[in-house]
Amino acid sequence: MERPPAKTAAERKAASRAHIRREEELSARDWLEGFLTGWDGDTDAPVPGSRWVAYELYELAVEAIEESVELEEERIDGGDYRVPRQRVFYAVADTILGPRRRGAHGSARVYVLPGK
């Protein structure tokens, strides 16, 4: 049986980037789903309709995910946590929470949490 041709350096790098982005997306999704449920009752879930400044929500996620990385915890799907880049986090959050909106007086972008 013939082996397929070896991947070029560019192909390997593209595959690595895609894998890293997927891990960041899964980590962001895991954190956001936990956040919305109050970590399955461990804390109070955020109130539907409440407003969260996007950057502050990202900072909360980064802090929690960094701690999970340090403690070598696994995501719900069994994968390892990876701190998402801001752009990746927002893309996932926009899907789960809905698009960001302008805050009061056109200031910081906010998420208005969806109802149950």
Side-chain angles (χ1 to χ4, degrees), residues 2-14:
E2 286 188 42
R3 295 173 64 178
K7 290 183 178 179
T8 65
E11 290 171 327
R12 285 191 306 274
K13 189 167 200 136

Side-chain angles (χ1 to χ4, degrees), residues 6-22:
K7 290 183 178 179
T8 65
E11 290 171 327
R12 285 191 306 274
K13 189 167 200 136
S16 174
R17 284 185 185 140
H19 174 75
I20 289 169
R21 181 178 175 94
R22 180 75 178 141

Side-chain angles (χ1 to χ4, degrees), residues 3-4 6 10 45 52 55 76 84 87 103:
R3 295 173 64 178
W52 291 78
Y55 184 77
I76 291 173
R87 180 175 45 92

Side-chain angles (χ1 to χ4, degrees), residues 27-95:
S27 295
R29 179 173 300 282
D30 187 79
W31 187 87
L32 284 162
E33 289 172 353
F35 169 75
L36 287 175
T37 64
W39 314 107
D40 294 327
D42 290 344
T43 64
D44 291 333
V47 177
S50 61
R51 294 176 173 268
W52 291 78
V53 174
Y55 184 77
E56 292 173 0
L57 192 62
Y58 172 70
E59 289 296 314
L60 286 173
V62 166
E63 186 178 310
I65 293 170
E66 282 176 342
E67 184 176 322
S68 294
V69 168
E70 288 174 19
L71 297 173
E72 298 180 4
E73 294 175 341
E74 291 183 344
R75 294 186 312 258
I76 291 173
D77 66 3
D80 293 328
Y81 279 100
R82 179 179 281 275
V83 176
R85 289 165 288 166
Q86 192 173 43
R87 180 175 45 92
V88 173
F89 178 83
Y90 288 155
V92 173
D94 287 352
T95 300

